[in-house]
């Protein structure tokens, strides 16, 4: 009986801790989003953060997009060849990249590259008392450090996702048309006739906005909430990548269900 | 010049009592030292004065404001009158020395770029580092970092400045420089200064008044001369650096023989 009570107590304690963490995370987001704008001072900070978050992620996004497009092209060629439907390769690549692979893989790469970097940077600022010193100078770190990084992640994710999709389609074209000899006219023509801007492209863009919001929220919160030790930063960085990846995959299913009218 | 009054302050962390009904009065324009063994909560006290932590009971008056009853906006305004020198300097690692000192000016004033430049150079001149304006924090020694942090702390001409262990880990020359700077800033600008330290000779040489904290309470207080001849066991052990006494050499543990043979 005593053992059951102890287990129940631990379960309740864990539940309370999780609820508390969600509460703090929510309050943190509200305090980051809803504040008096200071455009003149915020804009240069946003540009810096966009450079750090977006431009530095560009190489990994472009290279991954190219290889993923080439792999999809190769796999698609082998499969469609069995049914004599090679003309549909462009359509296959475009739809799978624009609707699913583009936003999801970009978000996963973004979480690994920019999300972990954001967490480590903010965590290290906390560990070295830079955030405390800012507070003591009468400057709110949520405005000065967190807010520009959050908005930079939110803005750059859809742009990176579009770049990823464009490069992936080009990768598929290199394999399908340039290497394996599919007719370029049918490749591009079928793609153009079957991909709808609102149903397909916008679906991917909406997803990447949601992923950008969630991944950056997780990353900046984990950095801000880190235990100020070397081990604390290491754990926070790991949590950012794990939580972001799981959130992306779960949200992808939910969003796809909603966007294709399944719910 | 603003006074600080700490009335019946109690603060605990994870069921450990850090302060229990502590009363401290910091006079305006004076150098007041808060001393005590490591782990007695000296840095915590500075964080309580700066309202980065909230007390369990009691009040802290900075000037005539109860610092923990202010709204966030009022608190940030009040902090502009305070400067704090952190133990590890806490310089912004992505900004140069010049930009670090200019940071509070850019954030809180509408001064022109030429005016900011002049003020920054004046502050850096005061700490002897005008020539290091273009260096990055990673290129500075520990002593230089603290001097830059000091220049940044006085950039907005605060009325109260708090020093967290300013002499720890410094070579004799850097230490002498910091001692001189702290005294000069207090004498010339009349800033109320609070020094948290366990370096007895250096702190005693520039303090007007000393509070010695031990075991969550004020164990002794007075001018440096008075504290140095205080006969209470805690004060005597700390001021004369005795290895054993009220603060034991050994961390509490079970019997040595029993522990070894078990």
């Amino acid at each position: 009986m005593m053992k059951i009570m102890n287990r129940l107590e631990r379960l309740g304690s864990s539940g309370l801790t999780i609820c508390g963490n969600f509460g703090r995370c929510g309050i943190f987001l509200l305090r980051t989003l809803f504040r008096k704008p200071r455009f003149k001072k915020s804009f240069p900070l946003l540009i810096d953060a966009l450079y750090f978050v977006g431009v530095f992620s560009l190489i990994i996004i472009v290279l991954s997009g190219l290889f993923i497009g080439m792999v999809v092209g190769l796999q698609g060629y082998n499969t469609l060849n069995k049914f004599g439907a090679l003309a549909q390769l462009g359509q296959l690549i475009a739809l799978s990249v624009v609707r699913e692979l583009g936003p999801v893989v970009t978000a996963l790469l973004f979480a690994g590259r920019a999300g972990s970097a954001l967490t480590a940077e903010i965590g290290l600022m906390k560990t070295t008392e830079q955030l405390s010193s800012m507070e003591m100078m009468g400057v709110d770190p949520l405005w000065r450090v967190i807010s520009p990084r959050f908005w930079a992640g939110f803005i750059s994710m859809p742009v990176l996702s579009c770049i990823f999709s464009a490069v992936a389609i080009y990768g598929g074209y290199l394999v399908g048309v340039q290497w394996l000899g599919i007719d370029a006219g049918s490749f591009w023509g079928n793609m153009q006739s079957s991909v709808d801007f609102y149903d397909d492209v916008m679906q991917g863009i909406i997803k990447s906005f949601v992923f950008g919001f969630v991944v950056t929220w997780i990353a900046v919160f984990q950095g801000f909430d880190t235990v100020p030790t070397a081990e604390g930063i290491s754990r926070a960085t790991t949590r950012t990548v794990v939580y972001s990846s799981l959130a992306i995959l779960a949200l992808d299913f939910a969003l796809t269900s909603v966007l294709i009218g399944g719910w | 010049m603003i006074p600080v009054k700490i009335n019946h302050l109690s603060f605990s962390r994870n069921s450990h009592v850090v302060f229990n009904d502590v009363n401290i009065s910091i006079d305006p324009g004076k150098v007041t030292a808060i001393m005590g063994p490591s782990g007695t909560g000296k840095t915590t006290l500075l964080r309580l004065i700066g309202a980065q932590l909230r007390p369990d009971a009691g009040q802290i008056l900075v000037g005539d404001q109860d610092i923990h009853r202010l709204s966030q906006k009022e608190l940030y305004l009040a902090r502009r009158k305070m400067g704090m020198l952190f133990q590890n300097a806490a310089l912004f690692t992505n900004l140069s020395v010049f930009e670090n000192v200019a940071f509070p000016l850019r954030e809180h004033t509408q001064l022109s770029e030429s005016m900011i430049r002049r003020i920054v150079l004046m502050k850096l001149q005061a700490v002897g580092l005008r020539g290091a304006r273009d260096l990055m924090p990673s290129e500075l020694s520990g002593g230089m970092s603290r001097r830059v942090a000091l220049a940044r702390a006085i950039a907005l001409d605060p009325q109260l400045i708090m020093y967290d262990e300013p002499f720890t880990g410094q070579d004799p020359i850097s230490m002498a420089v910091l001692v001189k700077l702290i005294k000069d800033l207090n004498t010339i600008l009349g800033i109320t200064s609070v020094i948290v330290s366990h370096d007895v000779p250096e702190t005693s040489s520039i303090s007007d008044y000393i509070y010695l904290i031990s075991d969550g309470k004020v164990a002794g207080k007075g001018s440096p001369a008075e504290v140095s001849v205080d006969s209470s066991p805690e004060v005597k052990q700390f001021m004369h650096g005795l290895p054993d006494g009220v603060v034991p050499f050994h961390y509490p543990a079970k019997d040595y023989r029993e522990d070894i043979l078990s």
Side-chain angles (χ1 to χ4, degrees), chain B residues 16 30 33 36 40 71 96 109 112 121 148 153-154 200 210 228 230 240:
Chain B
H16 166 65
K30 302 281 184 193
T40 47
S71 67
S96 67
T109 68
S112 66
L121 293 183
V148 174
I154 59 170
V200 177
I210 293 175
S228 67
D230 194 315
H240 297 96

Side-chain angles (χ1 to χ4, degrees), chain A residues 41 129 135 137 144, chain B residues 47 52 79 106-108:
Chain A
K41 287 191 172 174
E129 294 185 312
E135 274 184 356
M137 280 185 262
R144 186 67 173 63
Chain B
R47 289 187 183 277
Q52 288 189 304
R79 280 178 179 160
R106 292 196 200 286
E107 289 297 325
H108 296 309

Side-chain angles (χ1 to χ4, degrees), chain A residues 33 38 40 94 116-117 119 143 150-151 167 176 182 197-198 200 212 217-218 228 254 262:
Chain A
L33 293 180
R38 297 166 66 189
K40 200 178 163 190
S116 58
T119 303
W143 169 78
F150 176 81
W151 288 114
V167 175
I182 293 176
F197 180 75
Y198 291 103
D200 304 316
W217 178 19
I218 291 172

Side-chain angles (χ1 to χ4, degrees), chain B:
Chain B
M1 288 191 288
I2 45 176
V4 178
K5 282 204 182 298
I6 298 171
N7 299 323
H8 305 290
L9 175 75
S10 294
F11 180 77
S12 51
R13 183 181 277 153
N14 302 330
S15 74
H16 166 65
V17 177
V18 182
F19 296 116
N20 184 16
D21 197 26
V22 166
N23 292 290
I24 290 175
S25 177
I26 295 163
D27 292 334
K30 302 281 184 193
V31 179
T32 304
I34 312 288
M35 302 181 84
S38 297
T40 47
K42 302 186 295 294
T43 302
T44 304
L45 185 65
L46 292 190
R47 289 187 183 277
L48 283 160
I49 295 173
Q52 288 189 304
L53 295 172
R54 292 191 77 81
D56 300 333
Q59 63 169 190
I60 296 177
L61 297 170
V62 178
D64 54 359
Q65 292 179 308
D66 184 343
I67 199 82
H68 295 102
R69 288 191 178 275
L70 300 178
S71 67
Q72 195 183 27
K73 194 178 172 186
E74 291 169 334
L75 177 62
Y76 277 122
L77 281 172
R79 280 178 179 160
R80 292 183 198 179
K81 295 180 206 160
M82 303 179 196
M84 183 155 169
L85 180 69
F86 284 82
Q87 193 173 349
N88 62 5
L91 296 176
F92 302 125
T93 45
N94 59 333
L95 301 180
S96 67
V97 165
F98 183 95
E99 287 301 324
N100 261 285
V101 182
F103 183 86
L105 296 167
R106 292 196 200 286
E107 289 297 325
H108 296 309
T109 68
Q110 303 292 327
L111 294 173
S112 66
E113 197 53 39
S114 63
M115 188 61 85
I116 287 176
R117 182 179 174 277
R118 277 178 214 163
I119 294 173
V120 170
L121 293 183
M122 281 160 66
K123 301 298 176 189
L124 284 172
Q125 174 73 10
V127 298
L129 291 174
R130 186 166 47 82
R133 75 185 94 161
D134 296 324
L135 297 181
M136 294 301 285
S138 58
E139 298 172 284
L140 303 175
S141 68
M144 287 166 82
S145 296
R146 279 185 209 181
R147 283 153 69 188
V148 174
L150 187 54
R152 186 178 67 178
I154 59 170
L156 288 173
D157 295 327
Q159 297 174 41
L160 165 71
I161 187 158
M162 297 181 277
Y163 302 91
D164 186 8
E165 305 278 12
F167 312 120
T168 305
Q170 298 298 304
D171 64 68
I173 300 169
S174 299
M175 205 180 268
V177 168
L178 283 166
V179 168
K180 181 180 178 301
L181 280 173
I182 293 170
K183 189 63 192 170
D184 285 353
L185 283 173
N186 175 255
T187 315
I188 297 164
L189 303 175
I191 305 172
T192 307
S193 307
V194 185
I195 305 177
V196 151
S197 178
H198 44 50
D199 294 285
V200 177
E202 289 77 18
T203 311
S204 299
S205 70
I206 51 171
S207 302
D208 295 306
Y209 206 80
I210 293 175
Y211 282 91
L212 203 141
I213 295 176
S214 179
D215 205 17
K217 292 188 171 179
V218 175
K221 60 182 178 178
S223 66
E226 287 166 349
V227 173
S228 67
V229 294
D230 194 315
S231 59
S232 77
E234 290 109 327
V235 180
K236 203 172 169 184
Q237 185 190 2
F238 182 80
M239 295 303 284
H240 297 96
L242 305 175
D244 212 350
V246 183
V247 179
F249 171 70
H250 288 289
Y251 191 80
K254 60 182 177 182
D255 182 64
Y256 184 41
R257 174 193 288 264
E258 195 184 306
D259 206 5
I260 290 283
L261 297 177
S262 65

